Structures are given as structure tokens and as C-alpha cells.
Amino acid sequence: MFIFGDSLIDNGNNNNLPSFAKANYFPYGIDFEGGPTGRFSNGYTMVDEIAEQLGLPLTPAYSEASGEEVLHGVNFASAAAGILDITGRNFVGRIPFNQQIRNFENTLDQITDNLGADNVAEAIAKCIFFVGMGSNDYLNNYLMPNYATRNQYNGQQFANLLIQQYNRQLNTLYNLGARRFVLAGLGIMGCIPSILAQSPTSRCSDDVNHLILPFNANVRAMVNRLNSNLPGAKFIYIDVYRMFQDILSNSRNYGFSVINRGCCGIGRNSGQITCLPFQTPCSNREQYVFWDAFHPTEAVNIIMGRKAFNGDKSAVYPMNIEQLANLDLEPNEQKP
């Protein structure tokens, strides 16, 4: 499995960057076997759970992967990264999606040296390409006062701009040999503690939730288009928004008692300042939906990873990751 994305699935690629978007300090990783790694969670991320379900070892970060390790896949995700290169510059160092793809090309060269060109195309076509992008293009671009984006585009226009670029980027991965794509939509970003903290009544922001709907609709439409247009490839869409809505609406059924503040953070909803180094987090972490001001707990990540892996059409469209992994794809005559 090869992974591209942002802090929801980053596992350490920002650790050595000059960046404010880092999580390689305690209490991040408090429930992870290796302690803090750079994962923005108390434990597993969603892709950790998916790797486990696929029977793979946890995917190493690009910044640390070497030699044989890369043969089971690499995680290129970077906190604060976006579809657009300018996204996340408030955090200084980050690896935008375009650069993540260039890093994949480097990894591909390494694998080719190992396996030889013919075998690589065949092997890469069997791999899962998980892409979770777009959150920061809103949170750390469109919704930021120091970006001009909101004055230049309305919500639909911005979603269209993102999809044009996203479509190009996914085509690049296809041309490099990727065939099995998992695209994660955006979650209910108007309900994260950081946004709740901006409301005097601690309510979800309908404005933010409505703002991202055109993006999710565009990604889903793009999945249909790419499935029709790219021979030998299969794209699936994970409806993270719907999954998260279900968890928030039926929190008790899932075992959660706290849905409106972070387990680790400062100020209103523990969301005004995110989890700081050596801050003491909540002790009943399995009852919290949110770990910090922006990110879910391991408990939520595991639920979402399992739904993505073997869930029904309410969670994944047109099939789940297990079905995608076992799908017989027509070999594409035109070798990448």
C-alpha cells in the first residue's frame, strides 16, 4: 500500500522538516507501541488499521524507509499538505501532494532496481494507492484570513479548482503504474474542536460543513469519470463525512461519551490550542471521538479503517478496500 495525504495519516514525514506541523512528542503516541512517531493520534491512524486488515506490516514513512522495507509500501503523507502547493504555508515545512508524487517516483526507482522493470509494473498494479487529500486546502488555505483564496473563489469554484488539480495528480499516479485507488472524502470538519471553539455556543459550523460538500460531490463524480476513462484501473470513494456523521449521531452506540472536545488541548472545547508537548491528556481516551483540536482518536480511526476495509455502500462506493484488493483487473496492454 502506498499512502498520500495529510496529518490524518502522516506517520512521521514532517519530523525532520523545519515545520510547526509535527507530532513526534509525547503525549502523541501514548497508546502506540513505539510511543510518539509523528502520528497525529494517541495510537493508530486510519491507514494503520487498513494495513493491518490487509495483512500488511504498518507502512513505513518515506523519510525513514529504506532497502527491503519499501517493498510492502511507503507512506508519503505530510501534515499541513494540500492538493495545492500553497496550502499550509503557515506551518512552513510540509510536503504538498505534488512533491509526495515526486517522492513516490524516487521510491519507484528504488523498487525497479530491486525487481526489474517488467516485474515492477505488474507488482505496482496489485498495490493499493490510498489518497486522503483536501482538508488543509480548506482549513489551512481557504478558511485562513491571510490567504486571498476566499476573495477569488466561491465555494463551488474552489471545489472545482481543487478537483481539476486533483484529477491531474491522480492521472500522474496512473501513468506511473498505479491501478487500485482509494480516495478518502473530507470528514465533518465543521465539528472538530478547533472549529467548535470558535463558536460561543460550541456548535458545529454549518458554514464549514456546507463549504466542503461540493468538494466531496466532485470527488465522487471524479471517481465515476476515472473508472470510465482509465483502462485497467479501479477507483473507490470512502465517504468519511457520512462515517463521521454516523459516529457523532450514534456516539453512545459506538462507546463514545465525549464528542465535542479534544482529549488533549487547551481552552474552549480543548480546541483553541492543540495538544502541546508533555501536556497530560484525558485518561479515558477510548470514550473520546477527538484526540486533539483537529484529529480523531485511535478508537475512531480503527472504526473508520474497518468500515473502509469491509463496509457496505453507505461507507464506500462502489466497493470496499477488501473487494478492491481482490479484484481481477484487466492487465493494461500499454505498460506505464
Side-chain angles (χ1 to χ4, degrees):
M1 179 161 62
F2 294 96
I3 298 159
F4 304 82
D6 52 34
S7 59
L8 290 166
I9 49 182
D10 183 355
N11 64 345
N13 284 310
N14 283 17
N15 291 356
N16 299 318
L17 293 183
S19 176
F20 295 115
K22 294 192 190 200
N24 57 339
Y25 55 81
F26 193 82
Y28 286 94
I30 186 170
D31 300 312
F32 190 79
E33 206 173 314
T37 52
R39 287 168 169 81
F40 287 74
S41 171
N42 54 309
Y44 267 22
T45 65
M46 183 177 176
V47 291
D48 289 329
E49 180 59 27
I50 291 169
E52 197 164 280
Q53 293 288 334
L54 284 164
L56 293 169
L58 295 190
T59 313
Y62 174 71
S63 59
E64 291 159 11
S66 60
E68 297 274 296
E69 268 189 314
V70 305
L71 295 177
H72 286 297
V74 176
N75 185 336
F76 301 94
S78 165
I83 292 168
L84 304 177
D85 286 349
I86 57 161
T87 288
R89 64 175 174 221
N90 290 11
F91 291 95
V92 192
R94 76 271 178 222
I95 309 162
F97 191 22
N98 282 325
Q99 183 59 47
Q100 292 182 31
I101 294 170
R102 287 193 285 274
N103 291 346
F104 169 66
E105 290 187 62
N106 294 338
T107 299
L108 203 50
D109 290 342
Q110 266 179 285
I111 296 172
T112 307
D113 292 344
N114 245 314
L115 298 181
D118 283 352
N119 295 338
V120 164
E122 205 177 318
I124 293 295
K126 293 196 177 96
C127 298
I128 300 285
F129 282 73
F130 186 103
V131 188
M133 277 287 176
S135 299
N136 289 309
D137 295 292
Y138 287 95
L139 285 176
N140 293 303
N141 180 332
Y142 195 83
L143 292 167
M144 280 278 167
N146 61 334
Y147 276 83
T149 331
R150 208 181 338 184
N151 301 327
Q152 294 167 323
Y153 307 98
N154 66 28
Q156 185 65 59
Q157 289 167 331
F158 187 61
N160 294 349
L161 173 82
L162 290 177
I163 290 296
Q164 280 173 343
Q165 173 77 338
Y166 204 8
N167 187 57
R168 274 197 298 273
Q169 291 160 328
L170 294 169
N171 270 281
T172 302
L173 285 173
Y174 174 82
N175 289 330
L176 290 167
R179 292 296 177 266
R180 295 167 202 261
F181 291 85
V182 179
L183 305 185
L186 302 183
I188 304 201
M189 287 172 5
C191 298
I192 63 175
S194 160
I195 299 284
L196 294 177
Q198 295 169 33
S199 150
T201 54
S202 294
R203 282 193 42 160
C204 293
S205 163
D206 291 337
D207 288 351
V208 172
N209 283 337
H210 288 147
L211 176 65
I212 61 177
L213 289 177
F215 176 82
N216 281 342
N218 281 4
V219 173
R220 197 167 166 145
M222 178 177 67
V223 161
N224 286 333
R225 242 186 354 264
L226 292 168
N227 277 331
S228 303
N229 297 344
L230 295 182
K234 192 72 182 175
F235 288 76
I236 67 172
Y237 172 69
I238 303 184
D239 197 338
V240 176
Y241 194 98
R242 196 160 166 184
M243 281 189 204
F244 222 95
Q245 202 166 33
D246 185 43
I247 289 170
L248 291 175
S249 309
N250 304 298
S251 51
R252 292 257 180 249
N253 299 348
Y254 285 104
F256 299 116
S257 57
V258 188
I259 66 170
N260 61 353
R261 64 178 185 271
C263 166
C264 185
I266 290 173
R268 193 188 293 139
N269 303 89
S270 300
Q272 286 173 294
I273 297 172
T274 199
C275 192
L276 294 172
F278 298 103
Q279 193 184 334
T280 304
C282 66
S283 55
N284 53 336
R285 293 182 283 282
E286 67 293 337
Q287 290 176 34
Y288 275 67
V289 168
F290 293 101
W291 160 247
D292 63 9
F294 300 96
H295 307 98
T297 52
E298 171 180 74
V300 168
N301 285 329
I302 288 174
I303 291 167
M304 297 213 297
R306 286 180 185 165
K307 279 181 190 261
F309 182 73
N310 58 19
D312 61 22
K313 291 244 181 356
S314 69
V316 278
Y317 165 88
M319 62 179 64
N320 60 39
I321 294 176
E322 185 176 29
Q323 291 161 331
L324 177 71
N326 294 317
L327 194 65
D328 271 340
L329 288 174
E330 287 301 307
N332 188 9
E333 291 316 307
Q334 299 158 303
K335 284 255 167 73

